[in-house]
Each structure stands twice: as C-alpha cells, then as structure tokens.
Amino acid sequence: MRLILHKLVLAFMLLWLWFSSFIHVDAADDSLKPGDTLNSSSQLYSKSRTYYLQLFNYLEISSVYDDTVVWVGNREQSVNQSTADLSLNFSGVLKIESESLKKPIILYSPPQPINNTVATLLDTGNFVLQHLHSNGTNTLLWQSFDYPFATLIPTMKLGVNHKTGHRWLLYTQLTYGSAAPGAFSLEWEPRGQELMIRRRGKVCWKSGKLRNNRFEHIPEEAQGVLKYSIVSNGDEDTFSFTSTNENITHFWSLSGTGRLSYNYEEGYVARADLCYGYNNTEGGCQRWQDIPKCRIPGDVFTKKSLRSNYQNVTFDNDKNISYSDCEAACWSDCNCNGFTEIYDDGSGCIFYQWNSSKDYIVDATVSGEDIYLLENKGNIIAHRHGTKRWIWISPVIATSLLILCASILCLAIKKRKHVLQEKKRKEMSLIEDFGNDLNKKHGLKVLDYTLVVAATNEFSSDNKLGQGGFGPVYKVWELWKDDKYFELVDPSLNEVFDHEEVQRCIHIGLLCVEHYANDRPTMSDIISILTSKSPIVSLPLKPAFYIQRYMYNENLSSLELCTGSTVEITSSTIEMTTST
Ligand SMILES: *[C@@H]1O[C@H](CO)[C@@H](O)[C@H](O)[C@H]1NC(C)=O
Ligand SMILES: *[C@@H]1O[C@H](CO)[C@@H](O)[C@H](O)[C@H]1NC(C)=O
Ligand SMILES: *[C@@H]1O[C@H](CO)[C@@H](O)[C@H](O)[C@H]1NC(C)=O
Ligand SMILES: *[C@@H]1O[C@H](CO)[C@@H](O)[C@H](O)[C@H]1NC(C)=O
Ligand SMILES: *[C@@H]1O[C@H](CO)[C@@H](O)[C@H](O)[C@H]1NC(C)=O
Ligand SMILES: *[C@@H]1O[C@H](CO)[C@@H](O)[C@H](O)[C@H]1NC(C)=O
Ligand SMILES: *[C@@H]1O[C@H](CO)[C@@H](O)[C@H](O)[C@H]1NC(C)=O
Ligand SMILES: *[C@@H]1O[C@H](CO)[C@@H](O)[C@H](O)[C@H]1NC(C)=O
Ligand SMILES: *[C@@H]1O[C@H](CO)[C@@H](O)[C@H](O)[C@H]1NC(C)=O
Ligand SMILES: *[C@@H]1O[C@H](CO)[C@@H](O)[C@H](O)[C@H]1NC(C)=O
C-alpha cells in the first residue's frame, strides 16, 4: 500500500488549475495577448508541453518532465499569490501586479506604446514577447533567456552581448525560500574561452579549455550527450549547449553550495563547493592569494553530526547571507571551527568555536547536531565507542523515517505491487510538493536547509527531500489528532484500504518522532505492533519540533537563546540499540 504524501485536495486543486488555464486565459494555451492576465489559477504550456509558466509567489517556468524550476521572473521580490497576476496590456507592457506590491514589477515596457504584441512560452523554455507587424513578421522585444536564473537549459546563452553590453550569467538562489541571487555565479569567460564559477566575485573554478567538444575539467559523463556552441564575433561572445539525444533532457543547475549539477543532481559538472583556493588545483579549482595562515591544504568543511560538551557560539543573523557566506566567514576566521545556518530557509550563520577536539564527539555512527566542521582530510581522529553500537537519530532523520519507514513497513505487510513503480525521486518531489502546499496554504514553516541536507543524505543523494520534511509531520499530527488520518492516504487507492492498518502505521510513525526518547518505541516494539492486532497503548504527543522550529527568530539577540535551542534539539535525539 502506498501511504500518502499526496493530498486529495492538492490533486483536486491541480485538476482545477488545469481547467482554469483554459477558462481564464483568453488566449492560446502557450501565449498571452494584450489584455490577458495570468494568475495563480492558470498556467501557460509551451506548444509541445515541454515547459510551463505559472505565477505563485514567483513567476516561474518549470520543466514538465520533473517540475524543475528553470526560470524565475521576479527573483528579487516575491509576491502574494492570492492577489498577483501577470498581464500584457495594450501598451505592450508585460508586468506582475499584486496588492502586496507598491508598484508593479515591470518585466518589459516599450519606449513607445505598442498595441500589437504577444507573449509566448516556447518549447525551448524561453518566454518571449514579440511585436507583430502587419506584414506578418515579428520583432523580439524581450525574452526570459536574457535573465537567467540558476539553471542553464539547452540553447540558453551565457556570455556577453557586445552591442548592448548585456551579460548573461547564472546566479544561485540565495536560500531555499528565496529566489534572490546568491553567492555563486556561472559565467562564460570570453578571453579564456572557458566556463567559470565565481563566489561573490572571486573565481573558484574554471572549466579549462575546450578541445574536441570537451572541457578539460568537466567529467565525461556530464558532457557526453552535449554539443557546445560557442559564438565569438563583434556582436557577442557566448556559450550554449544542446543535447545530441533529444530524448535526454539536460540541465545544469548551480546550487547554493557552489556545486554545478546536471540532470537534477544525477551527477556533477563542477564542484566549486570543494574549492578552497589551496595549491591543489585538481578538478578546475583555482588558487587564491589570501588564504589565512591558519588554514592548510586539506582543511575542508565536512558535514558532521556531533555532540558538543562545550562550545562558544557567535552568529550573524543577516538574512541576506547563506551557506557559502557562512563557510567563507568561518574559514577566514582562525577561531572558527564550524558553522551552520540559523533560519529555516538556510539564511544567517551560527559559528562554533571549540577550544579543542575534546570538546565534541564526532562519530560516524552518531547523529547529533548537524554542523559543517572544519577538519583536515586524512587527519581526522576517529572516536570509537565500546561494544554497543549506538545510533542517534535526530528528529529530522526520524521525520524522514516516519515518512519512509511507515510506507515501507505498510508495504511489507500488504505487499501491494504498485508502490515501487515510481522512482524515489518522484516520492521526494511529492514530499516537497506536500510541504510547499502546506506552506502556501497554511503558512506552516517547513524544513531548515541544513537539516534537510542532513536528513536526505542519510537516505538518498537527492537532497530535494528538503523543504517539505517537517510539513508532513505537522500535518500528520494534525490530521491524526482530528481523526482525519485517512486524508493522508494516496487517493489512487480509491478508498480501498484497511482503515485500522493505516491508522496503526501513522500512529507508529508519530510515536517515532516523540520529543523524548523514552516515549518512542524501540524497533522491536514497532515490529510487534505491526504484526499483532493488539491496540497501541501510548498516544503520540505533538511532535517536538512542532514548537521548536520557531525558536530562532529575527530578534535573536542573546547567546543563551542560541545555545539554548541547540541543547533542546540535541536532547531530543533518540537512541536505538542494535545488537552487534
Ligand atoms: C484568476 O482570474 C480569474 C479570472 O479573472 C478569477 O476568476 C480567479 O478568481 C482568479 N484566481 C485567483 C486565485 O485570483
Ligand atoms: C496575501 O493576500 C491575502 C488576501 O489579500 C491575505 O489574506 C494574506 O494574508 C496575504 N498573505 C501574505 C503572506 O501577505
Ligand atoms: C500598461 O501598463 C503601464 C504600466 O503600468 C501603464 O503605464 C499603461 O498606461 C498601461 N497601458 C494601458 C493601455 O493600460
Ligand atoms: C491598436 O491600435 C490600432 C491603431 O492605433 C487601433 O485601431 C486598434 O483598435 C488598437 N487595438 C486595440 C485592441 O486597442
Ligand atoms: C515588416 O514591418 C516592419 C515594421 O513595419 C518592418 O520593420 C519590417 O522590415 C517589415 N518586414 C518585411 C519583410 O517587410
Ligand atoms: C527518441 O525516442 C523516440 C521514441 O521513443 C525514438 O524513436 C528515437 O529513436 C529516440 N531518439 C534517440 C536519439 O534516441
Ligand atoms: C602554494 O603555492 C605558492 C605559489 O606557487 C607557494 O608560494 C606556496 O608556498 C604554496 N603553498 C603551499 C602550502 O604549498
Ligand atoms: C568566545 O569567542 C569569542 C571570539 O573568538 C572570544 O572573544 C570569547 O572570549 C570566547 N568566549 C569564551 C567563553 O570562550
Ligand atoms: C538584504 O537585501 C535586500 C535586497 O537586496 C536589501 O534591501 C536589504 O537591505 C538587505 N538586508 C541586509 C540586512 O543587508
Ligand atoms: C575554552 O576557552 C575559554 C577561553 O580561553 C575558557 O574560558 C573556557 O573555560 C575553555 N573551555 C574549556 C571547556 O576548556
């Protein structure tokens, strides 16, 4: 049986969106004519349905294939989706308006009013505004490809237009929650004829020269199906690619850590996240002059789960900085040994300072607090514990366990066939959608980026589990409490399921994320509950982080609050003893 992660309401909503896209937009499915508006109940689809455009908090173009957002129109300023619309008016002005905005976000405004225009989403994923002439020809007025987001898609250019001086480059998203430009950029460097990743202006990585359609520092598998197109003339110096196999979609996405991935994190094109400026320039990393004396080659940040005996914590609650800024700041400060983000969306920094490695315990089998710890590769002291193997599971991981284990366990009992049909990725994206949906509709906070990475790394390389991670738990608990747990069941089961069994699975899942370890069932308890029909004695309480996620707030001003909540989170780890 496939449990959940999918809400009936959501399904209906999507269906309705679908319908409304035909009802409300008085235009072809793929374009806006003057006078047309597009709001959150409608979408534009490109002619062959390869991409779609929609307006929620952001105006987004996404791939139909897997819903990856490839372009965002209003990066700097999100809007309130309940009142926002995109319109093309009779003056040829393409704009986003919302009650939450003082003035509209103008995507394009012609020097003189033009009344015969059309805005079309093309099959390449390019959203273009054209002037239609009476002789049947068109002129391009504006195109989304001129304002890249964090993803490079086939035929989209990087480089510079010498005529207008316009530069095309990708910028990472600042945080999970904000599309605003972050620290890393991907650029085409015309003089060297190579690709380059910068972090806040500083060059971290270079692709090396192109020979035989291959860049020196890009792995073969990442460029195997690509055909590069480099244009260098008086008009422009640009780079773009196409896929030689039309059936394989190929995108390059630049993440907030500086990693350039292809095809939804399947593999990497560049690992600027591993570049620290040391002399070792393997893989295209660049050397920097300003390396602090206290840092030596091999010093790198590694995500660790650790328990701390003593720590000195400082923080920077600037919401305009995120992961890589924290990393850079910690790396340049010789007192800093580790960092993590403050806010749920991954912004702000907490810096850790330990007097010595005796102040904390790191163990591969220990999962405590997730911190990016500065260590020297090859010089890591292994801490081992006695005969018992302890597995500490943080609430986040437990959350994922709740979701994954509950489905898996129920599956094992029912042996229904269709669960494994979909890829893991699809499930992850469902979880994410679920979270987004909750966030949009109920304003519920969703998961902290660092925690996301932690949770997903435990189970999958796909760190997109992310945003929604906590969402389902809030919701599950709420629904369970209101006796509406059946809403969690996949609608495709058409109500054909054993209510008691579903209730049992959800109940167990909730018990697994209890605040106090003593309240949580052991693995053997779980198995006995699942295999017997006897009623479950203990009732789940509200999940711990239901409240705790709000502990960090904007007015964060005292160290106590910071360390206090750290302790809170650490103390809510659970123990599972496995016999060795
Ligand atoms: C979108 O526009 C249509 C037609 O103008 C309107 O009926 C509908 O309520 C709008 N939806 C939202 C969410 O504003
Ligand atoms: C968005 O607008 C609606 C209706 O005006 C309002 O109820 C809601 O609080 C707004 N949401 C945000 C996040 O401002
Ligand atoms: C189109 O929008 C622009 C910008 O908001 C406005 O100045 C102009 O008057 C509008 N034109 C028409 C015909 O409504
Ligand atoms: C566009 O401009 C032409 C000529 O100025 C005018 O005849 C026509 O009515 C305008 N169309 C619209 C839809 O306003
Ligand atoms: C069509 O009309 C536009 C504007 O009137 C003009 O710039 C263009 O050269 C014309 N094209 C042809 C093929 O006549
Ligand atoms: C792409 O898929 C179609 C239909 O499955 C197939 O006919 C075609 O040969 C494929 N093209 C390539 C390059 O693999
Ligand atoms: C790195 O290279 C620079 C210049 O080549 C050299 O001066 C420096 O000593 C090197 N540092 C290390 C740690 O090898
Ligand atoms: C904490 O770190 C700051 C900055 O390095 C330092 O000034 C302060 O003395 C430290 N406090 C303790 C208690 O170690
Ligand atoms: C964050 O960035 C926004 C927009 O770039 C700016 O308005 C704001 O002042 C910045 N805030 C801080 C604390 O730097
Ligand atoms: C760490 O160093 C600070 C400052 O020197 C000192 O106050 C503190 O007691 C030390 N903590 C431990 C656990 O040694």
Side-chain angles (χ1 to χ4, degrees), residues 309-312 353-356 358-359:
N309 300 325
Y310 165 86
Q311 69 201 21
N312 183 356
Q353 185 189 336
W354 287 282
N355 293 356
S356 80
K358 288 197 189 85
D359 294 343

Side-chain angles (χ1 to χ4, degrees), residues 518-564:
N518 288 346
D519 295 339
R520 299 176 197 140
T522 62
M523 215 57 206
S524 54
D525 289 342
I526 292 174
I527 290 161
S528 83
I529 295 168
L530 283 170
T531 49
S532 79
K533 286 272 171 205
S534 55
I536 310 174
V537 190
S538 51
L539 295 177
L541 300 165
K542 193 183 263 192
F545 30 83
Y546 195 94
I547 317 151
Q548 286 189 353
R549 294 314 304 158
Y550 296 90
M551 289 201 69
Y552 290 122
N553 62 41
E554 315 236 0
N555 302 326
L556 193 81
S557 57
S558 76
L559 208 63
E560 288 75 46
L561 177 56
C562 201
T563 47

Side-chain angles (χ1 to χ4, degrees), residues 496-515:
V496 186
F497 55 83
D498 179 342
H499 277 250
E500 204 217 300
E501 200 169 85
V502 168
Q503 193 179 11
R504 197 173 275 269
C505 286
I506 295 168
H507 196 141
I508 293 166
L510 284 169
L511 288 174
C512 287
V513 293
E514 286 285 36
H515 190 158

Side-chain angles (χ1 to χ4, degrees), residues 484-500:
K484 289 197 225 146
Y485 55 86
F486 50 84
E487 282 186 23
L488 295 162
V489 179
D490 190 323
S492 70
L493 291 175
N494 295 325
E495 305 272 310
V496 186
F497 55 83
D498 179 342
H499 277 250
E500 204 217 300

Side-chain angles (χ1 to χ4, degrees), residues 37-55:
T37 60
L38 179 97
N39 63 19
S40 64
S41 20
S42 46
Q43 284 150 317
L44 292 186
Y45 275 88
S46 70
K47 198 167 261 164
S48 313
R49 302 187 86 80
T50 46
Y51 292 92
Y52 60 95
L53 175 91
Q54 66 185 1
L55 177 65

Side-chain angles (χ1 to χ4, degrees), residues 195 205-208 210 214-224 226 228 239 252 260 262 268-270 283-284:
L195 290 161
W205 175 89
K206 284 184 178 181
S207 64
L210 184 66
R214 293 288 180 270
F215 285 107
E216 192 182 345
H217 298 305
I218 298 181
E220 174 60 27
E221 60 272 21
Q223 46 187 353
L226 298 186
Y228 298 121
F239 163 88
W252 285 1
L260 185 63
Y262 69 92
Y268 69 88
V269 176

Side-chain angles (χ1 to χ4, degrees), residues 80-83 99-100:
N80 181 339
Q81 68 176 82
S82 52
T83 58
E99 274 172 21
S100 64

Side-chain angles (χ1 to χ4, degrees), residues 388-535:
K388 262 184 188 172
R389 248 177 84 222
W390 294 92
I391 301 173
W392 294 75
I393 297 183
S394 76
V396 185
I397 295 167
T399 305
S400 312
L401 264 179
L402 161 73
I403 298 155
L404 294 173
C405 290
S407 338
I408 292 164
L409 289 172
C410 289
L411 169 79
I413 295 164
K414 270 289 187 186
K415 288 188 184 138
R416 291 255 174 117
K417 197 179 137 206
H418 57 261
V419 176
L420 292 173
Q421 283 168 352
E422 285 212 352
K423 282 181 173 176
K424 198 188 258 171
R425 181 183 304 281
K426 284 282 176 196
E427 296 198 348
M428 295 304 171
S429 97
L430 279 178
I431 296 171
E432 190 183 17
D433 287 346
F434 193 98
N436 284 342
D437 188 46
L438 288 176
N439 197 12
K440 274 173 190 153
K441 292 228 221 77
H442 309 287
L444 289 176
K445 287 229 180 179
V446 283
L447 192 55
D448 176 328
Y449 176 68
T450 52
L451 300 179
V452 170
V453 176
T456 53
N457 275 3
E458 292 289 325
F459 297 100
S460 154
S461 62
D462 181 353
N463 66 15
K464 282 191 110 186
L465 167 68
Q467 285 161 296
F470 280 129
V473 180
Y474 294 129
K475 194 61 185 176
V476 170
W477 191 79
E478 293 256 356
L479 291 173
W480 189 88
K481 177 180 60 110
D482 298 341
D483 227 8
K484 289 197 225 146
Y485 55 86
F486 50 84
E487 282 186 23
L488 295 162
V489 179
D490 190 323
S492 70
L493 291 175
N494 295 325
E495 305 272 310
V496 186
F497 55 83
D498 179 342
H499 277 250
E500 204 217 300
E501 200 169 85
V502 168
Q503 193 179 11
R504 197 173 275 269
C505 286
I506 295 168
H507 196 141
I508 293 166
L510 284 169
L511 288 174
C512 287
V513 293
E514 286 285 36
H515 190 158
Y516 296 105
N518 288 346
D519 295 339
R520 299 176 197 140
T522 62
M523 215 57 206
S524 54
D525 289 342
I526 292 174
I527 290 161
S528 83
I529 295 168
L530 283 170
T531 49
S532 79
K533 286 272 171 205
S534 55

